[in-house]
Amino acid sequence: MDNEVNNRTCEVIRDGRFKTTKWKDIKVGDILRLKKNTFVPADILLLSSSEPNSLCYVETAELDGETNLKFKMALEVTHRYLQGESAMADFNGLIECEEPNNRLDKFTGTLFWRNTSYSLDADKILLRGCKIRNTDFCHGLVIFAGADTKIMKNSGKTRFKRTKIDSLTNYMVYTIFVVLILLSAGLAIGHTYWEQQVGNSSWYLYDAQDFSPPYRGFLNFWGYIIVLNTMVPISLYVSVEVIRLGQSYFINWDLQMYYPEKDTAAKARTTTLNEQLGQIHYIFSDKTGTLTQNIMTFKKCCINGQRYGDWRDGAGQLQSHPQVRGCSPNAGSVPGRRCRRAQSSGTSGSAPVPSGEMQEGTEQWHVSSLQPALLISKQQVDFSWNMYADGKFLFYDHYLIEQIKSGKEPEIPKFFFLLAICHTVMVDTSDGQLNYQAASPDEGALVTAARNFGYVFLSRTQNTITISEMGIERTYDVLAILDFNSDRKRMSVIVRESDGSIRLYCKGADTVIYERLHPKNLKREATEEALDIFANETLRTLCLCYRDIGQDEFEAWNKKFMEASVATTDRDEALDKVYEEIEKNLILLGATAIEDKLQDGVPETISRLSKADIKIWVLTGDKKETAENIGFSCELLTDETKICYGEDISALLQTRLENQRNSAGSSACSSLRMSEPFFQGSKDRALIITGSWLNEILLEKKKKKKKLKLKFPRTAEEKQQQSEKRRRAEAHKEQQQQNFVDLACECRAVICCRVTPKQKAMVVELVKKYKKAITLAIGDGANDVNMIKTAHIGVGISGQEGMQAVMSSDYSFGQFRYLQRLLLVHGRWSYIRMCKFLRYFFYKNFAFTLVHIWYSFFNGFSAQTAYEDWFITLYNVLYSSLPVLLVGLLDQDVSDKLSLRFPSLYVLGQKDSLFNYKKFFLSLLHGAITSLVIFFIPYGAYLKTMGQDGEAPSDYQSFAVTAASSLIFIVNFQIGLDTSYWTFVNAFSVFGSIALYFGITFDFHSAGIHVLFPSGFQFTGTAPNALRQPYLWLTMILSIAVCLLPVVAWRFLSVTIWPSESDRIQKNRQKLLAAEQQWRRRQSALHRGVSARRSAYAFSHQRGYADLIASGRSIRKKRAPLDAVLRGTGAAGAPHTS
């Protein structure tokens, strides 16, 4: 593959002309020409392209998994002057940029050319691995090549994941190998002793080799290593991989995990972790896009202190949902009746109502009782007066529309004008319809809302934006765009109004906006109250404000802004500092409330997983209040839950740490007290913490950069002191981390807010390190990739944030609710099947192999095998492999429905109850007892026996056939006893294996095959002669009965006297399945009151399109022909077309 990539070709300027060159010969500073559908060979600066204004469309699937097209843009100056081949060859610009790094979304540099400096950022860079799309050709300058490219900097070592059972099995195989060596050594010593006592004095045993007894014992040691090698289960690993592959296909084929809306099926992206799905202790979940749909809808707003969005008529009268005979929208208020909403406007997890019960534009309430159902409709606002209205937008406050149309409230038009102008949304028109492309779903929802209320964003150029205000088109000059980032949590635009005045419009999180408000904001308290109400409804909020700017103030600020935009170092910090200077003394307009609905089935899934004793931690970048309210919505938190905040438990952690320091080296009693739980009692608790608190409490907070000051220890004592200081600091840090993990794990649920991707991975790593627990991480975005890779099992959701999480995951599907089936059904079944398979595999191998050891006591420890050679060869391949493979693939103790209905069945895997060292040694003991029966019952039966034909059947070959036949019956009937779920295939495999054994045995013992291969088949006629003796069949029946009847008796007593939960469910499965149709999830009794919680800002965590807009490259223009420029002498030319 490397050779293929290195030998790909592209066109490079060589001696003034474009020449075909291999990728491996590309160097920094080369100018390339790339054509459509070719890969980019290096990190290059885009100079020009065939598209208008030198836009270039690329696909970044190899970088982030996203297949949607992205666009890059060239600088205006390179677009103008670098179109022809000669101009490219004469290009002599100088680029200063950052050092090579792995950040795909960041680039900082400056181009110096023609005595002018031009700032460079990621929008002007084509990264290696991108593919050119919808662009005939483009030109670029190589900045980083080879190992310095960003994709190569990201290609770290892939973390290899192994299951707990894998590791345990390896140690067991090591144990078996040690046992093999010890047994071989013991038997070799026995042979040495036998040779000294018997062999040397027996003339008839002389083999013409004058070897000493110790040397003969040494040779026999290796002989027993070969004879007993079947004790080491080499074929086990192949069988395990076959079973895992089959289980992975079952996950892929599960139609109940198929998401039809996106045509997304569940996919097992690895085949090595299936059984670990049945052992999960902790789930770490992202919130946005994982628990929620990440589809934003404008629901409510507060303008000038007045709340809008409730169900009101045109006169402003609040319309409450009608109640029928005491039945309210909150189901369960009247005994015998249930009410449910057909179309939820909240974050509800209730089951969807069939579409046939709904009418477009209405919300319906169904009242089920003994009487026929009554239907109550809530009419939505009619937007037909607005030609640009989006037909999908639903709103129910008729009073707001009347206020907009009347124009009595001047703040309302200003509010929606701000939404229409303060954004970085891109727009294009197709078939007369406006299509918005936003950097985040939140921003798209706000601009769409403004569009429906009559303030429509129509188009934009580099310096202007056109808006339709209630049908009147106006164009405004955009003087500056102060773009959003996750640190600023706000964005602003500076606009010149039609009267010449300059105004700044700003929107952002309430925490940052309230810090920058003018002291005399009359509606501050009313807006804050509205924010609390919105937060209590789990809506994502955003504050809107503005300020007027004088001409002189703007010119002075703009000068600083231009200087910061071309800074070569710390450009982002410089821009943020300049932004701070202008974003102050703001006038508050109001707030928006956007709904991010829960995915279907999230509350049910979390409820079932909690009953399976799986603890769920939510790790999100959102605000604490929003995450907390989502926790209530998805029933991770309930009204009975006692919520502990980070600030509340800091004292607990500090006290525990001080006590641990003081009691260091003291009595065991003190250490016992240190291991006591943090919380007394068994009350339901949840912990809610923030990323900043997490850094402080775990001593991970970044230290401020200090000037470099070298100080070397002068003495050995100073070195020792410094080393001791570092050791104590590290020990202190580890102890604090362990205390935090211990405290958090005492809570039923943990919510971490405002955490970075690195912190998400750190939290997962801490639980893995200090709890030794099996972890699962689930997310849908690029910020979840680190967490997904760190956890034992990573699950990706195909959501709104691209395919990055899916590409890095071990399992993927379309909705969070499928996680319950993945764990409680597929995971649990896989664990049970694998444990049964391993226990039985060890059993049958020991039952087979240890017969050689008992036989050694009767053959002088001579390493003689107890079976025919062909039987030894085919035992694991044909005679005993298929039944256990089918158990490993198909067995199930209870059905999938009952597995979901009784999540507590999952606990067996968490406790490692079905496969551990105890089960391993029991399997070995069972195998050893079976081998004793297989050997000594035929031996005793043959000791003084006469057959019907007057011949003694007690020859070696007849004994070998009898023992082998007994073994085949016993091990195949034993797997039959271990099978919980019988199918035709299982029955066929058990009896087919026995029939196959007898068929092959009679074939190999025939005279015909002996004639053809006399040295390979020496048991001529043994099976036909031996197996026609009824005495031998009675011997085999006795061996089978002695081995299996105790097992049957023990199983009967276990199920009767000490039944497990699985046994009880199996016993009553018919009744339970009949009742399954009547079983429904309990109705939520959650009734939340108004609280002071505040939801998160409605922004994404990435930059918008401000730089692209400011460059003016987003608008397609017709260019003049290229020859018009080529005829010139290199002077400034107009944009042109190739």
Side-chain angles (χ1 to χ4, degrees), residues 116-187:
T116 308
S117 60
Y118 305 93
S119 65
L120 305 177
D121 55 26
D123 291 328
K124 300 172 181 62
I125 305 298
L126 304 183
L127 299 181
R128 176 175 176 171
C130 294
K131 197 170 190 178
I132 307 298
R133 295 287 195 188
N134 295 357
T135 305
D136 292 335
F137 65 85
C138 66
H139 304 113
L141 172 68
V142 177
I143 298 178
F144 299 131
D148 289 338
T149 56
K150 290 182 180 287
I151 190 173
M152 295 299 290
K153 288 290 183 181
N154 273 284
S155 59
K157 292 183 179 179
T158 302
R159 187 174 302 191
F160 179 66
K161 295 183 179 182
R162 296 170 57 190
T163 66
K164 195 174 182 179
I165 285 182
D166 255 346
S167 302
L168 190 60
T169 303
N170 288 341
Y171 282 114
M172 290 175 179
V173 172
Y174 300 152
T175 303
I176 292 173
F177 192 73
V178 171
V179 170
L180 170 64
I181 293 174
L182 294 177
L183 287 175
S184 300
L187 293 170

Side-chain angles (χ1 to χ4, degrees), residues 44 57 88 127 185 227 301 306 308 320 383 526 648 653 722 811 858 908 929 954 966 991 1000 1062:
I44 66 175
Y57 296 90
M88 297 283 181
L127 299 181
V227 169
C301 61
Q306 174 69 42
Y308 300 94
S320 61
F383 289 105
D648 304 331
L653 292 173
Q722 286 188 1
Y811 300 89
F858 299 91
L908 283 175
I929 293 172
S954 54
S966 300
F991 296 105
I1000 293 177
S1062 175

Side-chain angles (χ1 to χ4, degrees), residues 623-689:
K623 278 188 63 178
K624 179 170 65 178
E625 293 80 2
T626 298
E628 182 177 342
N629 284 298
I630 289 293
F632 276 100
S633 298
C634 66
E635 297 185 10
L636 187 63
L637 308 176
T638 65
D639 289 340
E640 292 76 29
T641 304
K642 181 181 179 182
I643 299 176
C644 303
Y645 297 97
E647 300 76 11
D648 304 331
I649 64 171
S650 296
L652 276 176
L653 292 173
Q654 192 61 34
T655 302
R656 175 64 61 90
L657 188 62
E658 292 296 331
N659 291 340
Q660 287 167 338
R661 285 179 178 176
N662 296 335
S663 62
S666 63
S667 64
C669 183
S670 298
S671 62
L672 183 62
R673 286 197 301 270
M674 290 303 100
S675 62
E676 291 179 355
F678 284 87
F679 303 110
Q680 301 301 321
S682 57
K683 187 171 182 178
D684 184 14
R685 287 183 175 83
L687 177 63
I688 298 179
I689 56 178

Side-chain angles (χ1 to χ4, degrees), residues 948 1026-1037:
Q948 288 179 340
L1027 295 178
R1028 63 187 173 87
Q1029 302 280 352
Y1031 184 82
L1032 298 188
W1033 283 100
L1034 291 174
T1035 302
M1036 286 189 283
I1037 292 172

Side-chain angles (χ1 to χ4, degrees), residues 285-287 290-292 347-349 538 598-599 601-608 610 616 618 626-638 748-749 751 816 1081-1082 1084 1086 1088:
S285 173
D286 179 39
K287 183 186 74 68
T290 303
L291 299 178
T292 62
T347 53
S348 172
T538 71
L598 281 183
Q599 293 182 11
V602 168
E604 294 91 336
T605 301
I606 289 179
S607 175
R608 281 184 180 150
S610 298
I616 300 174
V618 176
T626 298
E628 182 177 342
N629 284 298
I630 289 293
F632 276 100
S633 298
C634 66
E635 297 185 10
L636 187 63
L637 308 176
T638 65
R748 185 177 60 84
I751 298 177
F816 180 84
R1081 173 183 167 269
R1082 65 178 177 83
S1084 173
L1086 179 63
R1088 305 286 316 285

Side-chain angles (χ1 to χ4, degrees), residues 396-537:
Y396 301 97
D397 193 342
H398 297 258
Y399 182 61
L400 178 58
I401 299 299
E402 294 301 322
Q403 292 289 86
I404 293 174
K405 291 180 178 179
S406 66
K408 294 178 181 178
E409 290 286 342
E411 302 299 327
I412 293 180
K414 197 178 295 183
F415 179 92
F416 288 106
F417 175 78
L418 190 153
L419 292 181
I421 202 169
C422 182
H423 56 79
T424 58
V425 173
M426 310 293 290
V427 63
D428 61 77
T429 305
S430 60
D431 299 328
Q433 296 294 321
L434 295 176
N435 297 315
Y436 293 147
Q437 299 177 8
S440 73
D442 307 69
E443 191 157 64
L446 293 174
V447 176
T448 301
R451 165 185 175 177
N452 282 280
F453 288 112
Y455 291 80
V456 188
F457 163 52
L458 296 176
S459 64
R460 72 189 328 149
T461 65
Q462 179 179 356
N463 300 315
T464 65
I465 184 169
T466 302
I467 295 173
S468 170
E469 303 173 33
M470 301 300 290
I472 303 174
E473 288 192 18
R474 293 191 176 94
T475 300
Y476 297 88
D477 293 331
V478 179
L479 305 180
I481 299 179
L482 287 56
D483 203 2
F484 167 84
N485 63 44
S486 56
D487 295 324
R488 281 169 38 78
K489 302 171 189 172
R490 64 190 184 278
M491 77 153 291
S492 304
V493 295
I494 301 177
V495 178
R496 189 182 298 279
E497 302 278 347
S498 54
D499 58 1
S501 62
I502 299 174
R503 178 169 287 176
L504 177 143
Y505 293 98
C506 179
K507 65 182 181 185
D510 55 284
T511 51
V512 295
I513 295 297
Y514 268 60
E515 292 172 357
R516 291 160 178 79
L517 290 180
H518 193 280
K520 296 181 180 179
N521 268 277
L522 301 178
K523 302 300 181 179
R524 180 178 183 137
E525 290 76 14
T527 304
E528 192 164 8
E529 180 182 348
L531 288 170
D532 292 334
I533 295 173
F534 295 156
N536 187 58
E537 298 173 4

Side-chain angles (χ1 to χ4, degrees), residues 891-908:
D891 200 48
Q892 48 183 271
D893 55 345
V894 297
S895 68
D896 55 343
K897 293 182 179 179
L898 293 177
S899 295
L900 292 172
R901 183 171 179 183
F902 297 97
S904 55
L905 291 171
Y906 187 82
V907 176
L908 283 175

Side-chain angles (χ1 to χ4, degrees), residues 776-1030:
L776 180 146
I778 179 169
D780 71 316
N783 59 336
D784 303 316
V785 168
N786 206 353
M787 172 178 71
I788 286 172
K789 288 184 174 180
T790 303
H792 290 98
I793 293 179
V795 178
I797 291 183
S798 305
Q800 304 292 324
E801 299 182 24
M803 297 290 290
Q804 301 98 316
V806 170
M807 298 283 284
S808 305
S809 66
D810 305 304
Y811 300 89
S812 65
F813 40 69
Q815 291 275 281
F816 180 84
R817 67 177 182 269
Y818 300 140
L819 182 63
Q820 61 179 319
R821 187 168 180 85
L822 181 69
L823 300 186
L824 302 183
V825 178
H826 291 287
R828 184 174 165 279
W829 280 351
S830 296
Y831 173 74
I832 292 173
R833 291 164 179 169
M834 188 60 69
C835 292
K836 275 190 180 182
F837 169 81
L838 292 172
R839 292 200 309 264
Y840 176 79
F841 205 96
F842 288 127
Y843 156 76
K844 77 181 182 70
N845 270 23
F846 269 74
F848 165 65
T849 306
L850 293 185
V851 172
H852 297 303
I853 297 177
W854 316 135
Y855 183 52
S856 296
F857 288 92
F858 299 91
N859 64 18
F861 304 98
S862 59
Q864 170 69 35
T865 59
Y867 309 111
E868 179 195 6
D869 292 343
W870 281 105
F871 176 79
I872 296 173
T873 303
L874 298 177
Y875 174 74
N876 272 325
V877 178
L878 295 179
Y879 301 155
S880 63
S881 59
L882 187 57
V884 69
L885 271 177
L886 290 175
V887 166
L889 285 169
L890 303 175
D891 200 48
Q892 48 183 271
D893 55 345
V894 297
S895 68
D896 55 343
K897 293 182 179 179
L898 293 177
S899 295
L900 292 172
R901 183 171 179 183
F902 297 97
S904 55
L905 291 171
Y906 187 82
V907 176
L908 283 175
Q910 296 172 325
K911 295 180 178 179
D912 298 325
S913 302
L914 300 184
F915 189 69
N916 47 46
Y917 261 105
K918 179 183 176 182
K919 298 289 185 182
F920 169 67
F921 285 116
L922 286 175
S923 296
L924 300 195
L925 179 62
H926 188 193
I929 293 172
T930 301
S931 68
L932 283 168
V933 173
I934 288 172
F935 178 81
F936 282 103
I937 287 184
Y939 173 76
Y942 282 4
L943 201 54
K944 294 179 181 180
T945 306
M946 186 64 67
Q948 288 179 340
D949 55 2
E951 297 179 359
S954 54
D955 62 283
Y956 160 70
Q957 293 186 344
S958 296
F959 175 83
V961 170
T962 305
S965 301
S966 300
L967 176 66
I968 293 301
F969 276 113
I970 290 169
V971 296
N972 280 287
F973 286 166
Q974 179 66 51
I975 194 62
L977 292 175
D978 290 342
T979 302
S980 302
Y981 184 69
W982 276 93
T983 64
F984 169 78
V985 179
N986 292 86
F988 178 81
S989 68
V990 170
F991 296 105
S993 296
I994 296 173
L996 185 66
Y997 159 73
F998 282 108
I1000 293 177
T1001 299
F1002 277 96
D1003 225 16
F1004 284 179
H1005 292 189
S1006 66
I1009 199 168
H1010 175 72
V1011 171
L1012 295 174
F1013 307 100
S1015 61
F1017 299 90
Q1018 299 176 355
F1019 276 50
T1020 307
T1022 302
N1025 290 332
L1027 295 178
R1028 63 187 173 87
Q1029 302 280 352

